[in-house]
Amino acid sequence: MSDFSCKNKRRACFLDRDGVVNVEVSYLHEPEKTVLETGIVEALKAIHKAGFLAVVVTNQAGVARGKYPESDIAKVHEKLQALLAACGEKIDAFYYCPHHPEHTGECSCRKPNPGMLLQAAKELDIDISQSLMIGDRMSDVKAGINAGCKASYLVRTGYGLETLAKEPDPGCPVSDNAYTAFMDFIKGKK
Ligand SMILES: [Mg+2]
Ligand SMILES: [Zn+2]
C-alpha cells in the first residue's frame, strides 16, 4: 500500500438517517414531520471541523412496500438540509436503499449490507478504514463493520434504547447521540 494513494483520501462519518439525523417517525416521508434529532447539529459541526464528510446512508424500504413514492425521499432530504442550513450545517451526501427483499429481491445496498457505504467511498474518494458509522439499529452497526469502518457506534436516540433492550451487549461502542458518538471516536474511546 503506497501512502500516496491513501493520503489524499477523505474520511467520512456515515450516519443513519431516521433516529440519528432526524427524529424517528414510522415511514417518514413528509417534510412537515421532519425534525432534527438531539445532538445532530453539534455532531455535524464537530464532523466538519475535524475534516470529515457527513454522509447519510438510509434504508427506505417504504418505497418497496408502496408506503410512499421514491420522490418523497428527496423532499425529506431537502427539508433536512433547510433545517440544518438554518443552523449553519449540512449533510454532504445522501445515499438510500429503496428496496426490500420481500418486495424487490435481495440487493447489496440494504443495510446491514455495505453497498451504500462502498458506493459513497468510490464516488467521494473516502478511506473507509479511517471512517466511522453511527446508527440506532444493529443493521447500521453491522453495515459499518461489513464495509470495513474503523468503528461503528450504536446511539441511544431513535430505536437505540429498544435495540439495547434486545441486545444488552451489542458488541460495539454505545453512545448517547450522534455528537457524543463522534466525540468518542475522535478521542479514541470505544
Ligand atoms: Mg434508524
Ligand atoms: Zn437496496
Side-chain angles (χ1 to χ4, degrees):
M1 184 169 66
S2 83
D3 24 72
F4 180 76
S5 67
C6 283
K7 246 177 198 166
N8 298 319
K9 283 197 177 236
R10 299 188 277 186
R11 292 176 294 176
C13 180
F14 294 104
L15 298 157
D16 173 45
R17 195 191 80 182
D18 301 330
V20 176
V21 175
N22 54 265
V23 172
E24 168 67 43
V25 171
S26 187
Y27 293 114
L28 174 67
H29 64 110
E30 308 94 326
E32 65 275 15
K33 288 191 190 170
T34 305
V35 176
L36 295 177
E37 182 53 272
T38 304
I40 191 60
V41 172
E42 295 82 355
L44 290 169
K45 287 189 189 301
I47 287 163
H48 288 134
K49 193 178 166 199
F52 284 61
L53 292 169
V55 179
V56 165
V57 287
T58 177
N59 283 355
Q60 292 299 321
V63 175
R65 291 178 185 277
K67 302 264 185 192
Y68 49 85
E70 193 165 347
S71 55
D72 279 3
I73 297 174
K75 291 179 190 166
V76 169
H77 294 175
E78 262 173 47
K79 178 64 187 269
L80 272 176
Q81 294 289 47
L83 292 170
L84 291 169
C87 306
E89 270 306 329
K90 64 168 185 174
I91 298 294
D92 297 295
F94 288 94
Y95 290 84
Y96 64 85
C97 163
H99 311 120
H100 188 279
E102 284 168 26
H103 300 271
T104 48
E106 295 292 334
C107 68
S108 58
C109 41
R110 181 173 166 81
K111 295 175 287 183
N113 294 321
M116 290 189 280
L117 290 82
L118 298 179
Q119 192 190 341
K122 201 173 159 190
E123 292 178 355
L124 305 173
D125 198 27
I126 293 164
D127 180 357
I128 291 195
S129 73
Q130 296 303 312
S131 299
L132 70 153
M133 172 78 208
I134 299 175
D136 66 331
R137 292 194 195 253
M138 289 313 296
S139 53
D140 301 319
V141 170
K142 286 174 185 162
I145 292 167
N146 291 336
C149 284
K150 190 173 185 181
S152 221
Y153 289 79
L154 184 69
V155 285
R156 296 187 178 89
T157 51
Y159 282 113
L161 291 177
E162 215 170 288
T163 301
L164 283 166
K166 279 183 232 156
E167 300 232 22
D169 187 10
C172 65
V174 179
S175 202
D176 281 345
N177 57 53
Y179 173 69
T180 59
F182 186 73
M183 294 314 287
D184 287 350
F185 177 79
I186 289 295
K187 291 173 200 154
K189 195 175 128 192
K190 289 190 179 176

